[in-house]
Amino acid sequence: MKIGIYGGTYNPPHLGHMAAARAAVEGLKLDRLVLVPAAVPPHKRLPDGTPDQSHRLAMVEKMADALAMPGVVEVSSLELDRSGKSYTSETLEELTRRRPGDELWLLMGTDMFLTLHQWHDTATVTRLAGICVFGRTPGDGEETFRAQREFLEREYGARVAEVTIPDLVDISSTRLREELSRGRGGEYLLPAVYGYILMNRLYGTDVVLKQLDLPQLRACSYSMIRNKRVAHVMGVEEEAVRLAKFWGADPELARHAGILHDCTKYLELDEQLALCEKYGMELDDLEQKMVKLLHSKTGACIAKYVFGEPEEVYQAILWHTTGKADMTLLDKILYMADYIEPNRDFEGVEELRRLAYSDLDRAMLLGVEETIREMTQRGVPIHSNTLAARDSLKEAIKRGNP
Ligand code: DGI
Ligand code: FE
Ligand code: FE
C-alpha cells in the first residue's frame, strides 16, 4: 500500500491543508493518508494562545472527516502521545514497524523541503519515505526545487516527487491566527473548524455565542455534527426559509431553526441525558431509552441557552422529530423542511413536496403517518406525541373541510 504522511502543527488546520491533502491523494495515488499533528517541543515556544493538543487533534479530526475519504484519510496521534518533540525520523521508524511492507511518502511544503538536509537524521527520513513536495503551479518553483532535489538524490538516494495544489489557499498560519484574534479569518477555514474555534474561544476569539452572524452560527452548528450531515442541515435551512416565505412565517426564525435543528444529533446517550439534566428537561420512559428522540430536546436547549435563540425557535426544534398536538406554523415548517429538503430521496417525496406548498396540514399528516408506518414496520415504539400530532392534524383537516 502507498501511504502518505502529512505532519504539521495544524495550528489551526485550514483550507490550504485540505487542498494539499486532496492533491496528494490524487497526485500520488495514495491508498492511505495519515495526518499527524505534531507535539509541541518543550523548548520551542509556540505562538501565544496556541491551543493545547487535544484541541489541535479535534480540529484535525474535523478536517479528516470533511475530506470525506473514509478508509483513506486517518488521523494519528502518535506524535502527540509521545512526550516531548518527535523527530520525523522516529515517526517514520514507528510507522514502518506498524506497517511493514508499505510504501511511505512524506508530504511537505517548500520551506521544509529546502531545509530537509538540516533535519535530524535526514538519512533515515529519506531511506524510509519518499519525499513529496507541494508546488503551486506545474513547473513553479522548479529552479528552487531542482538544486535541492538533485542534492538529496545524490547525497541520500532520496526519491522526490512533486504535487501541485490546484486551489491553493494563500495564507500563513501566523497571519491566520492574527486574523482570528481580530474576529476575522473564517473564510480560510473549514466551517466546522471555525465553529470549533469560536465555541472553544481559541486564538483569542471572543465572540458572544448569543450574537453570532449567520456564517458563524452555521460554523458552530457544523462543528458539532459529522460532515456527512452538513448537506442535510443546509438543505433544511434552505427549505425552511422557502416554506416560511410561502406560508407567511418569519423566514429568519425558520432559518435559525433549520441551522441548529440537528446540532446534537451525534451525542451519545449519556451526553444527551447529561444535557437534559443540566437544562431541566424532563423525559418520559420512551425518551430515556431512545437516543434518537433526544436530539430534538437537547438541540432545542443548545439553541436557546447557548445561542440565545427565541422561544419560537426552541419550540420548533423541540418538536421536529415527533411533532405534537397543535403545532405552530413554525413547528410545522421545520418538521416539513426536515422531511422534504432537497437531499431527501424516498418514494413519494415529490408528492409530499407538492403538498407542502399547497396544503401544509395534509402534507404534515402524510409525513406523520408515513413515520408511524415505518416505525411500526421496524417494530419501534411510537411516541405518544407522534400519535397526538396525527390525531390533531386529522381534526384540523376535518374542521377545515366539514
Ligand atoms: O434528525 P433527522 O434524521 O434529520 O430526522 P428526525 O429528527 O425526524 O429523526 C428521525 C429519527 O427519529 C428516526 O430514526 C426515527 C425517530 N423517530 C421519529 N419519530 C419517532 C421516532 N422514534 C420513535 N421511537 N418513536 C417516534 O414516534
Ligand atoms: Fe432531527
Ligand atoms: Fe434533520
Side-chain angles (χ1 to χ4, degrees), residues 214-226:
L214 284 173
Q216 291 173 329
L217 186 69
R218 290 189 190 102
C220 287
S221 174
Y222 304 165
S223 78
M224 292 184 270
I225 58 179
R226 300 277 299 278

Side-chain angles (χ1 to χ4, degrees), residues 328-340:
T328 66
L329 178 58
L330 194 71
D331 297 346
K332 291 175 188 172
I333 282 171
L334 183 62
Y335 186 98
M336 212 60 235
D338 197 20
Y339 228 113
I340 64 167

Side-chain angles (χ1 to χ4, degrees), residues 33-332:
L33 175 64
V34 188
L35 307 175
V36 188
V40 172
H43 56 274
K44 185 182 157 195
R45 240 169 66 88
L46 268 190
D48 276 346
T50 291
D52 64 40
Q53 30 187 69
S54 65
H55 284 313
R56 286 189 295 123
L57 181 62
M59 291 189 284
V60 174
E61 275 166 351
K62 294 197 181 300
M63 165 174 142
D65 184 40
L67 282 166
M69 292 185 260
V72 176
V73 177
E74 59 185 72
V75 181
S76 169
S77 60
L78 111 164
E79 292 197 356
L80 299 180
D81 297 341
R82 253 187 246 148
S83 54
K85 177 171 169 61
S86 293
Y87 290 113
T88 302
S89 57
E90 293 167 359
T91 299
L92 292 175
E93 280 168 338
E94 175 67 33
L95 288 168
T96 304
R97 261 195 300 278
R98 288 189 195 181
R99 330 180 85 119
D102 284 341
E103 181 184 336
L104 304 184
W105 282 84
L106 187 65
L107 319 183
M108 66 188 70
T110 317
D111 297 354
M112 289 294 170
F113 179 66
L114 295 177
T115 57
L116 188 56
H117 56 286
Q118 297 165 344
W119 290 17
H120 174 80
D121 205 354
T122 309
T124 297
V125 172
T126 50
R127 179 170 54 81
L128 296 180
I131 306 300
C132 170
V133 55
F134 294 119
R136 280 152 199 264
T137 54
D140 154 72
E142 177 52 23
E143 296 109 88
T144 347
F145 286 161
R146 193 194 299 123
Q148 176 73 339
R149 185 179 62 227
E150 286 172 1
F151 172 76
L152 293 170
E153 285 168 351
R154 193 172 59 241
E155 200 70 16
Y156 298 101
R159 295 150 293 150
V160 178
E162 268 179 58
V163 159
T164 56
I165 309 173
D167 33 5
L168 186 79
V169 178
D170 205 5
I171 181 129
S172 75
S173 296
T174 311
R175 226 194 83 220
L176 179 51
R177 288 191 296 270
E178 272 166 28
E179 292 277 303
L180 286 169
S181 71
R182 299 195 181 109
R184 299 188 300 253
E187 68 274 25
Y188 298 107
L189 294 164
L190 177 73
V193 168
Y194 185 43
Y196 185 92
I197 288 171
L198 294 176
M199 292 193 71
N200 291 284
R201 305 180 168 285
L202 307 181
Y203 302 107
T205 55
D206 64 348
V207 288
V208 178
L209 294 178
K210 291 187 161 90
Q211 294 167 17
L212 299 179
D213 61 25
L214 284 173
Q216 291 173 329
L217 186 69
R218 290 189 190 102
C220 287
S221 174
Y222 304 165
S223 78
M224 292 184 270
I225 58 179
R226 300 277 299 278
N227 182 66
K228 65 176 184 204
R229 184 161 287 266
V230 169
H232 163 67
V233 171
M234 293 170 80
V236 173
E237 175 188 347
E238 181 191 325
E239 195 74 49
V241 168
R242 192 156 45 226
L243 282 165
K245 286 180 177 160
F246 187 86
W247 291 110
D250 184 329
E252 288 318 301
L253 293 181
R255 181 188 299 287
H256 283 240
I259 291 172
L260 292 171
H261 83 285
D262 274 343
C263 70
T264 56
K265 187 81 181 179
Y266 290 99
L267 299 185
E268 303 290 340
L269 183 62
D270 57 338
E271 299 169 297
Q272 299 278 8
L273 293 174
L275 278 179
C276 290
E277 174 84 34
K278 174 172 178 183
Y279 294 114
M281 175 68 68
E282 294 193 1
L283 302 173
D284 59 32
D285 288 349
L286 190 58
E287 287 161 349
Q288 306 260 10
K289 287 190 305 222
M290 310 238 51
V291 67
K292 289 197 166 142
L293 292 174
L294 290 178
H295 78 282
S296 42
K297 314 260 167 196
T298 50
C301 292
I302 298 293
K304 180 172 175 174
Y305 299 111
V306 175
F307 297 108
E309 295 295 341
E311 187 64 22
E312 297 98 305
V313 170
Y314 170 81
Q315 292 288 333
I317 297 176
L318 191 56
W319 305 114
H320 89 266
T321 302
T322 57
K324 63 156 185 166
D326 303 319
M327 294 168 80
T328 66
L329 178 58
L330 194 71
D331 297 346
K332 291 175 188 172

